[in-house]
Amino acid sequence: MVNVVIDYQNINVPEGTSIMEAARNMGIEIPNLCYDPELSVVDACRLCVVEVEGARSLVAACSTAVAEGMVVRTDSPAVVEARKVIIELLLANHPEDCLTCQKFGNCKLADYAYLYSVRKSSFTGEKRYAAIDTGNPCIERDMNKCILCGKCVRVCAEVQGRHVVDFSYRGFNTKIATAFDTSLGESNCVTCGSCVAVCPTGALAETMMKGRGRAWEVKKVRTTCPYCGCGCNFDLNVKDNRVIGVTSNPASPVNGRHLCVKGRFGYDFIHSPERLTDPLIKENGEFKKVSWPRALSFVAQRLTEIRQQHGSDALAVLSSARCTNEENYLMNKFARAVLGTNNIDHCARLCHASTVAGLALAYGSGAMTNSIREIRDADFILVIGSNTTETHPIISLEIRKALKKGARLAVADPRKIELTALADYHLPLKPGTNVALINGLINVILAENLWDGEFVKNRTENFKAMQDVALKYTPEYAAGITGLDAEIIRQVARAYARAKNASILYTMGITQHSSGTNNVLAIANLAMLCGQIGKPASGVNPLRGQNNVQGACDMGALPNVFPGYQPVTDPANVKKFSKAWGTAVPGNTGLTVGEMIDEALKGNIKGMYIMGENPMLSDPDINHVQKALENLEFLVVQDIFLTETARLADVVLPGTSFAEKDGAFTNTERRVQRVRRAIDPVGNAKPDWQIICELAAKMGYRQMQYNHPAEVMAEIARLIPIYGGITYDRIEEQGLQWPCTDKNHPGTPILHKDKFTRGPGKFHPVEYTPPTELPDSEYPFILTTGRRLHHYHTGTMTRRAKGIEAIYGEEYLEINPLDADKLGICDRDLVRLSSRRGAITIRAHVTERITPGTVFTSFHFTEHPVNAVTNSARDPVAKIPELKVCAVRIEKVS
């Protein structure tokens, strides 16, 4: 520690602290334009100069470290004069259009000119001029306003790892440019907007916010992103009861100032003209607008009739990972207490049901074991079945931070995804061979005695059974199944086992298989074998796909558990919830979504209530889904758009978006965070929690009367032990990670630290089983599906975001050049993709990203509903469909 005097105040700070940081610790703000605590120090703008007693000249506070006895003046006459000159020099080459500049009110240069009374520059001469770059639909670049602070260059390189822009040319002509000075839209920019977030002037601005509101006219409401499971926070910018933009909030616990293209620019669906604004009832095949009383009375009448005529289990409910915890809890309560059925499920069945099942069997808890920010401290990271940079962009930044610190990375994926370029090892395994690969890694670790014997002895059980199965999966044997080289299996196994802290990240490339639960169990085995669980920067980390899929599971939107994963077959739990909800609840396991569809087609399910789900795009074999839904006696859909599923409904109820309601989401690291209402509901739409409660009342149930979602959260805390200490007050700023068992509990960043939730961790012997459908002469290719960076799930929201749609508005089928050549297919040719279940037409993209024999596309596009083709075969335990592997044929459309 060293003692320093700054503006006549004493402070002790660690040696090596900069004057800038020391002053900030004292609450003294030194003007700056190029400094950013998250970025490297470049000492470029010189606006932060200060006077140090005994120094020959003014020094830059950002780059000068404090020394013992140093005396600093941050506002002496010499300092003030120097800053005025610097501001004048910057203004000499700056447009004088502050009154019309979108950043006015948020421009640091303008603020400092005002602070130091610099009305205009006294320096005259030649000025630079650059055409405004509007090539990117979301970000406008006006280099005439650029002060060459380099923040955009540094954040793009140091945080995002993209290196899209850099300094170009020399001297007076120096400017920030993309490679070859193309427009931003022609570059490899991913439109994350971090450059906009750090820019201190109007050089970079959000295109869609231009002209829609000045800084002082805007109300900022912090909330949680409605897209992937990262759980990013940001500020909704509101003017005149409309969301006009999104800006970063540095206080966000998960993401800080950084967002992806969806989070920052995917908000205009909120005010889409396609929004549902009134209840609809189908009469003679046509939807008619009706009042809320009429719609709710009709729904209540029809559900009651079906229950009375056919029994409660003739009804089924789909809840939603896009809705809040409170809404999922209420939908769960509605299904069980009002309808009297455990037939409730949601889209987790299509993404991470095998995670919930597998990790619960192995560890006792089916959730991410560690926290997102711990990833940066891992020594080794195994990414398997996850295209992290596209599906969870903010988590991918943590991977990049780990790599900068020296971590090694292995990526197991049949495609050359972006992470493979950063990886030490790429394992392009055949789709559906995950168990063989993981057992191969385990085999090497056992054979070379690299496993953690103490951990296995003290913390686990059933090791011998797992060992006996793994012994046959030699690297050569595993290589024969996976298509990999045996030596890379050895190398990855050694790297994982020898790492001090090794983290496994996975998503649907592991779970969406008929062997999904076994895939998860194999990963659990690997982590336990090496003791890489229950400690920082390690663990088994399933990355949840939707904003609240974790919370929807927590709230009991599953057919086999009440809220908080309390089994429905346990009489004590039935008694508990019957008492709490004031009516008898069923004690039998209900139907999963796939089983609901099957039973609807058979005529056993007569009515369905679907909230915020679109099985007509998201479920496999959608021709089968359509027949089943059309066979229902009654279908009610609650959504914000007239989706493909809603079009089949008898009644459509207009819910609200995340911006129009209060509540909470739980992200992939189990962090419960606030969702805050920023605007009034659009049209006559109502928050989903309110609709559910009003419908319950119409059906005669009186124990769902709440004034605010906070009251629902209080009930949740009373009934769910892992949420016992969670209140709106406690999650207001940073959120809390469950389990949080009481109001004094700090939350749990790391699961299974001293013991597993189930007691000892349990090894499971798992054998490789091939996918249910493999290529043959009629269908010679494997189709695997996934997501794109710019879109989300069924595209309901992002396809209505103008900027995003302008960037990525058309889907394509990735095919290897060798396969394309054999079929006579060229890039962008229209092809027919068919399976035993259906067919679609789509344009081909010939690329070496995909291995020969395999093709890839996403499921975001209604124009190319790939789930017409996919396989509905299910994992026997989790009942998750095999969306990742099916046999297909490809034909060029003439």
Side-chain angles (χ1 to χ4, degrees):
M1 302 294 289
V2 295
N3 184 59
V4 186
V5 178
I6 301 179
D7 290 346
Y8 310 107
Q9 300 178 55
N10 287 297
I11 186 173
N12 283 295
V13 293
E15 187 177 3
T17 302
S18 70
I19 297 174
M20 178 80 77
E21 293 166 333
R24 285 191 166 186
N25 289 341
M26 301 171 69
I28 299 172
E29 186 63 28
I30 299 175
N32 64 87
L33 289 168
C34 70
Y35 173 76
D36 191 295
E38 195 176 358
L39 307 176
S40 60
V41 175
V42 295
D43 189 11
C45 73
R46 306 300 292 180
L47 197 64
C48 69
V49 290
V50 294
E51 189 172 346
V52 175
E53 193 174 280
R56 291 184 297 175
S57 60
L58 302 180
V59 300
C62 66
S63 59
T64 303
V66 296
E68 179 62 37
M70 180 181 279
V71 177
V72 180
R73 286 286 308 279
T74 69
D75 58 355
S76 69
V79 167
V80 170
E81 184 59 30
R83 288 178 185 158
K84 285 184 175 182
V85 172
I86 292 166
I87 293 168
E88 285 195 40
L89 286 166
L90 292 171
L91 292 178
N93 224 326
H94 199 84
E96 296 177 352
D97 63 350
C98 293
L99 295 178
T100 57
C101 179
Q102 180 63 32
K103 277 285 189 79
F104 191 54
N106 284 322
C107 173
K108 291 183 76 173
L109 181 59
D111 290 344
Y112 293 143
Y114 175 81
L115 178 65
Y116 291 101
S117 300
V118 180
R119 296 178 59 86
K120 62 180 181 178
S121 178
S122 59
F123 299 98
T124 59
E126 185 180 351
K127 291 193 175 187
R128 296 190 309 264
Y129 174 76
I132 296 174
D133 177 4
T134 58
N136 185 299
C138 299
I139 300 172
E140 182 178 284
R141 299 171 72 238
D142 185 352
M143 292 296 96
N144 301 294
K145 298 175 182 177
C146 177
I147 59 171
L148 298 175
C149 68
K151 280 186 176 181
C152 58
V153 174
R154 284 175 284 149
V155 76
C156 191
E158 298 170 11
V159 176
Q160 293 292 336
R162 303 287 174 178
H163 304 272
V164 173
V165 292
D166 208 335
F167 290 93
S168 63
Y169 303 99
R170 291 293 182 269
F172 180 76
N173 295 316
T174 301
K175 69 173 185 176
I176 307 296
T178 62
F180 306 107
D181 205 3
T182 62
S183 75
L184 196 62
E186 296 174 282
S187 73
N188 61 344
C189 172
V190 295
T191 319
C192 68
S194 286
C195 57
V196 182
V198 299
C199 180
T201 70
L204 296 168
E206 299 91 342
T207 302
M208 292 179 290
M209 289 180 68
K210 287 198 67 178
R212 300 183 68 188
R214 309 307 296 263
W216 54 87
E217 298 175 317
V218 170
K219 178 180 74 171
K220 294 195 174 188
V221 180
R222 179 174 161 186
T223 193
T224 303
C225 182
Y227 287 111
C228 80
C230 290
C232 298
N233 284 189
F234 51 59
D235 289 338
L236 290 173
N237 290 227
V238 179
K239 180 188 175 186
D240 298 333
N241 202 38
R242 291 182 67 88
V243 175
I244 64 168
V246 164
T247 49
S248 303
N249 188 316
S252 304
V254 173
N255 58 299
R257 292 173 297 178
H258 307 293
L259 295 164
C260 74
V261 60
K262 297 184 289 293
R264 196 180 297 275
F265 300 112
Y267 58 84
D268 43 336
F269 74 90
I270 297 168
H271 298 289
S272 167
E274 297 179 55
R275 279 288 301 271
L276 292 169
T277 58
D278 294 278
L280 305 174
I281 290 180
K282 189 176 285 181
E283 297 177 355
N284 300 318
E286 298 289 330
F287 282 118
K288 305 292 184 184
K289 288 184 180 181
V290 298
S291 68
W292 274 107
R294 182 183 170 192
L296 292 174
S297 294
F298 181 62
V299 173
Q301 174 192 333
R302 293 294 293 120
L303 293 178
T304 300
E305 289 172 350
I306 292 171
R307 184 181 61 188
Q308 291 174 344
Q309 294 171 16
H310 304 285
S312 293
D313 285 338
L315 295 167
V317 170
L318 289 184
S319 201
S320 177
R322 280 177 272 189
C323 292
T324 64
N325 285 335
E326 295 82 353
E327 289 161 343
N328 278 284
Y329 171 82
L330 292 174
M331 187 60 111
N332 165 77
K333 187 174 179 179
F334 179 86
R336 291 176 161 120
V338 181
L339 299 182
T341 182
N342 284 326
N343 293 340
I344 178 170
D345 207 0
H346 74 293
C347 67
R349 188 65 50 195
L350 309 175
C351 56
H352 274 287
S354 34
T355 288
V356 175
L359 292 187
L361 288 170
Y363 300 157
S365 176
M368 186 171 173
T369 64
N370 290 63
S371 301
I372 292 170
R373 292 209 168 196
E374 292 175 37
I375 296 169
R376 66 181 68 175
D377 297 319
D379 304 295
F380 182 88
I381 301 171
L382 171 59
V383 176
I384 180 167
S386 169
N387 185 4
T388 320
T389 58
E390 295 199 47
T391 59
H392 298 86
I394 296 303
I395 292 177
S396 77
L397 301 185
E398 298 297 321
I399 297 174
R400 292 179 187 273
K401 289 173 184 176
L403 297 179
K404 286 180 70 174
K405 294 164 68 173
R408 287 194 284 176
L409 172 65
V411 177
D413 197 292
R415 300 167 66 220
K416 291 179 183 176
I417 59 175
E418 185 178 5
L419 280 180
T420 60
L422 306 176
D424 299 272
Y425 314 97
H426 177 211
L427 296 86
L429 73 170
K430 294 177 183 176
T433 62
N434 299 288
V435 166
L437 169 59
I438 298 163
N439 279 351
L441 299 176
I442 290 172
N443 179 281
V444 173
I445 292 166
L446 290 170
E448 299 185 10
N449 199 30
L450 299 174
W451 53 292
D452 189 336
E454 283 298 308
F455 186 93
V456 170
K457 178 183 176 182
N458 297 326
R459 299 272 317 265
T460 70
E461 64 182 10
N462 209 36
F463 168 72
K464 182 67 166 56
M466 183 278 297
Q467 183 184 39
D468 290 345
V469 168
L471 288 177
K472 81 174 183 182
Y473 287 86
T474 63
E476 287 72 22
Y477 182 73
I481 297 171
T482 61
L484 300 172
D485 185 89
E487 186 54 31
I488 198 170
I489 295 175
R490 289 190 177 90
Q491 291 172 6
V492 172
R494 291 164 185 158
Y496 178 83
R498 289 170 177 164
K500 180 181 178 182
N501 296 307
S503 178
I504 300 174
L505 311 180
Y506 73 86
T507 58
M508 270 90 75
I510 283 290
T511 60
Q512 288 180 332
H513 293 275
S514 56
S515 59
T517 302
N518 279 351
N519 291 343
V520 173
L521 289 171
I523 287 174
N525 289 341
L526 177 61
M528 286 190 291
L529 182 66
C530 298
Q532 297 287 4
I533 189 85
K535 62 180 185 176
S538 62
V540 174
N541 299 297
L543 309 180
R544 306 307 289 261
Q546 295 196 51
N547 55 302
N548 200 34
V549 69
Q550 181 66 59
C553 291
D554 298 345
M555 294 301 112
L558 299 167
N560 62 325
V561 290
F562 292 118
Y565 306 100
Q566 300 171 78
V568 298
T569 53
D570 186 334
N573 293 332
V574 173
K575 182 178 179 181
K576 172 183 175 178
F577 283 94
S578 295
K579 181 180 179 182
W581 292 343
T583 187
V585 298
N588 61 300
T589 299
L591 300 177
T592 65
V593 57
E595 292 167 334
M596 292 176 193
I597 296 299
D598 291 345
E599 293 304 307
L601 187 59
K602 294 175 185 176
N604 295 325
I605 292 292
K606 306 291 185 181
M608 287 188 72
Y609 180 7
I610 299 176
M611 175 179 72
E613 297 277 303
N614 189 9
M616 279 298 297
L617 270 186
S618 62
D619 288 31
D621 193 3
I622 56 178
N623 294 319
H624 173 72
V625 174
Q626 181 171 348
K627 291 175 185 176
L629 295 180
E630 290 174 341
N631 198 45
L632 291 169
E633 290 184 11
F634 183 67
L635 173 62
V636 55
V637 173
Q638 189 169 305
D639 215 313
I640 62 174
F641 292 106
L642 193 66
T643 64
E644 291 75 11
T645 303
R647 293 188 189 110
L648 301 178
D650 298 288
V651 179
V652 179
L653 303 176
T656 56
S657 73
F658 78 112
E660 300 151 63
K661 58 190 171 187
D662 286 299
F665 293 155
T666 303
N667 78 341
T668 188
E669 62 176 356
R670 299 169 281 105
R671 185 182 298 274
V672 186
Q673 301 182 101
R674 278 297 315 277
V675 177
R676 296 173 181 86
R677 176 170 168 167
I679 59 173
D680 296 333
V682 171
N684 293 315
K686 292 188 177 186
D688 297 271
W689 68 269
Q690 191 175 334
I691 298 172
I692 300 166
C693 292
E694 291 181 8
L695 181 57
K698 289 282 187 182
M699 295 185 70
Y701 185 72
R702 302 300 176 191
Q703 295 203 31
M704 287 174 67
Q705 297 178 350
Y706 310 92
N707 296 311
H708 191 273
E711 297 174 10
V712 184
M713 181 58 77
E715 184 174 318
I716 289 168
R718 290 194 296 271
L719 291 174
I720 303 180
I722 58 175
Y723 276 67
I726 292 175
T727 66
Y728 276 20
D729 288 342
R730 294 195 70 201
I731 64 173
E732 185 65 27
E733 294 299 326
Q734 297 292 301
L736 283 167
Q737 291 171 269
W738 66 254
C740 178
T741 53
D742 59 60
K743 292 184 179 179
N744 296 315
H745 195 289
T748 309
I750 303 172
L751 294 179
H752 318 304
K753 286 184 74 172
D754 301 313
K755 67 174 184 178
F756 289 97
T757 305
R758 69 178 300 277
K762 185 174 182 179
F763 284 101
H764 288 78
V766 289
E767 290 276 11
Y768 162 72
T769 55
T772 56
E773 189 172 81
L774 292 171
D776 55 23
S777 57
E778 187 177 4
Y779 298 98
F781 292 93
I782 289 176
L783 168 69
T784 188
T785 63
R787 294 185 177 185
R788 302 292 189 186
L789 168 66
H790 297 86
H791 290 289
Y792 165 79
H793 202 53
T794 56
T796 304
M797 298 187 297
T798 50
R799 295 298 309 281
R800 292 171 172 88
K802 294 177 183 177
I804 290 176
E805 187 69 359
I807 296 172
Y808 199 105
E810 181 183 14
E811 187 52 298
Y812 51 83
L813 180 74
E814 293 182 8
I815 182 171
N816 186 273
L818 295 175
D819 295 328
D821 185 58
K822 291 176 185 177
L823 297 171
I825 293 171
C826 297
D827 198 52
R828 292 197 58 78
D829 277 353
L830 193 64
V831 299
R832 179 178 173 86
L833 176 72
S834 56
S835 73
R836 292 174 174 85
R837 291 155 295 280
I840 62 170
T841 55
I842 188 171
R843 294 202 178 278
H845 176 46
V846 181
T847 173
E848 293 183 348
R849 290 187 74 187
I850 194 77
T851 53
T854 301
V855 293
F856 172 89
T857 191
S858 79
F859 59 100
H860 308 304
F861 288 73
T862 185
E863 306 95 309
H864 316 293
V866 71
N867 281 327
V869 175
T870 51
N871 191 358
S872 60
R874 299 179 197 128
D875 175 281
V877 178
K879 308 294 177 67
I880 191 170
E882 190 152 54
L883 289 160
K884 280 291 181 281
V885 182
C886 75
V888 295
R889 179 172 63 240
I890 304 160
E891 302 161 289
K892 183 176 178 179
V893 176
S894 57

